[in-house]
Amino acid sequence: MTKAPTFLYDCDTGIDDAMTLLYLASLVRAGEARLVGIGTVHGNVHPLTGALNTLRVLETAGIETGEQGGVPVAVGADRPMAQDVHFAVDWHGTDGLGDTHLPEPAGRPTAEPAAAQIVRLARAMPGELTLLATGPLTNLGAALLLDAELPSLIREVVVMGGAFDHPGNITTHAEANIWHDPEAADLVFAADWPIVLVPLDATHPSAVHDDWLDRLAAHDTPVARFAARVLEFYIDAYTPTLRRRGAVIHDALAAMLAVEPDLGEYAHRPVRVELRGELTRGTTVWDARSLPAEDTRRPVKVAVGSDVPRFQERLLASLQSFPGPSRT
């Protein structure tokens, strides 16, 4: 029997991060995963906003938060290593959750910075942690600088980010999570740890559309209603790109491939990030030639596709798995 994965989640909680938190929460509730910590980073929103959103989502899902017996939520880097900060309000709303302006969460973020939390938990649980990152990689880059032995302590790093044969989604070539901090991303890809990278090439074909969205909206439980409400803004933002009603829930695919790797198809190549190009800064680069050049970097396991129907059904089932209101 495969041991349930132990997750440390690094995110910038906007809408698809929120769906991913609900997916992870469904696994935790079913005893199919452990979630030992969450860190937030600049990206979709300011990391404090992201941390409060994370607490809102976990509380909606019935997951206890905090350092005493719950899931600690740490605030991380509020800017990239070497450029100005940018937020994605056009895609996630000013509050990161589709301008739903939800009430304040009951819990509060911890005082420990997210990068320090990564190092502490990796030291406490060597070889156990799956470090799932679905935002800019600033916290991971900072953690690598804090502890040179970190790569030997992490079981696996799973990153949603990058684009190879797919156009970028923030510039012509660059995907948002990598573009928001190219220097940190290149540090992560240069480190000697096992990495699974889930780029736009894999996530965009997994877009959900009318039937999936209607099935979610028809499921009358608090969590399903929350998910459907938050997704409304995202659907409006995505429909012009997709040319039909729908949305791409990028981050959830990365999380699911961490749990069920056989859902994906993969290529293995070292990955680098373009740091200096005037038009290509933040682009992920791999040598896809039939005889690639030798590279000192450890190959990255890059998802190039997935079983889309299985992904969509599993994600919908996870959002529908939470109980309805108790009846007296």
Side-chain angles (χ1 to χ4, degrees):
M1 182 176 175
T2 305
K3 184 180 178 183
T6 300
F7 281 103
L8 173 54
Y9 186 24
D10 197 88
C11 53
D12 55 342
T13 302
I15 294 168
D16 57 335
D17 309 77
M19 298 304 111
T20 305
L21 282 164
L22 292 175
Y23 167 69
L24 293 174
S26 74
L27 298 178
V28 170
R29 290 174 62 95
E32 296 172 8
R34 296 176 65 205
L35 183 58
V36 296
I38 298 172
T40 60
V41 66
H42 68 90
N44 292 329
V45 288
H46 187 280
L48 177 56
T49 303
L52 296 175
N53 285 345
T54 299
L55 291 164
R56 290 181 177 102
V57 175
L58 292 177
E59 289 169 10
T60 298
I63 300 296
E64 188 175 345
T65 63
E67 294 171 279
Q68 305 301 318
V71 179
V73 177
V75 179
D78 62 3
R79 54 160 297 143
M81 289 184 167
Q83 66 185 30
D84 292 337
V85 67
H86 298 270
F87 301 121
V89 296
D90 290 348
W91 290 90
H92 297 269
T94 55
D95 64 350
L97 292 178
D99 284 338
T100 50
H101 301 295
L102 299 171
E104 282 287 300
R108 303 304 299 173
T110 65
E112 182 179 41
Q117 177 177 257
I118 292 172
V119 172
R120 178 179 60 80
L121 289 173
R123 285 282 176 189
M125 311 173 71
E128 292 186 43
L129 292 180
T130 294
L131 180 49
L132 173 64
T134 64
L137 298 177
T138 314
N139 292 336
L140 277 67
L144 286 166
L145 297 176
L146 286 171
D147 190 342
E149 295 181 5
L150 184 64
S152 69
L153 303 172
I154 297 290
R155 188 183 79 82
E156 185 174 64
V157 181
V158 180
V159 174
M160 189 278 125
F164 296 93
D165 296 330
H166 193 283
N169 63 353
I170 196 160
T171 70
T172 56
H173 289 72
E175 179 275 333
N177 286 341
I178 307 301
W179 180 87
H180 277 290
D181 197 338
E183 280 74 17
D186 202 52
L187 278 174
V188 169
F189 296 138
D192 187 21
W193 48 12
I195 300 176
V196 178
L197 180 61
V198 185
L200 298 180
D201 309 61
T203 64
H204 251 275
S206 73
V208 296
H209 294 289
D210 297 275
D211 176 64
W212 191 98
L213 294 165
D214 291 344
R215 289 164 65 196
L216 175 64
H219 195 76
D220 192 23
T221 61
V223 168
R225 288 198 301 269
F226 170 86
R229 181 184 176 195
V230 168
L231 279 170
E232 288 176 8
F233 188 99
Y234 210 42
I235 294 163
D236 289 343
Y238 254 113
T239 295
T241 299
L242 297 174
R243 295 187 171 88
R244 58 182 289 203
R245 178 172 172 253
V248 186
I249 309 178
H250 304 270
D251 298 345
L253 180 62
M256 199 173 295
L257 291 180
V259 178
E260 298 186 67
D262 66 328
L263 281 174
E265 305 164 32
Y266 305 93
H268 295 80
R269 293 282 193 280
V271 172
R272 293 173 183 271
V273 180
E274 173 56 55
L275 302 179
R276 290 178 288 279
E278 181 180 353
L279 300 177
T280 56
R281 177 169 161 80
T283 301
T284 44
V285 179
W286 63 354
D287 190 343
R289 294 175 291 184
S290 56
L291 291 174
E294 289 189 15
D295 199 312
T296 56
R297 289 195 176 184
R298 179 175 181 151
V300 170
K301 182 180 176 182
V302 182
V304 294
S306 72
D307 186 331
V308 171
R310 283 171 66 196
F311 161 70
Q312 293 177 339
E313 287 304 309
R314 278 166 166 67
L315 181 59
L316 183 61
S318 74
L319 298 176
Q320 294 176 332
S321 69
F322 297 86
S326 58
R327 303 195 183 277
T328 55

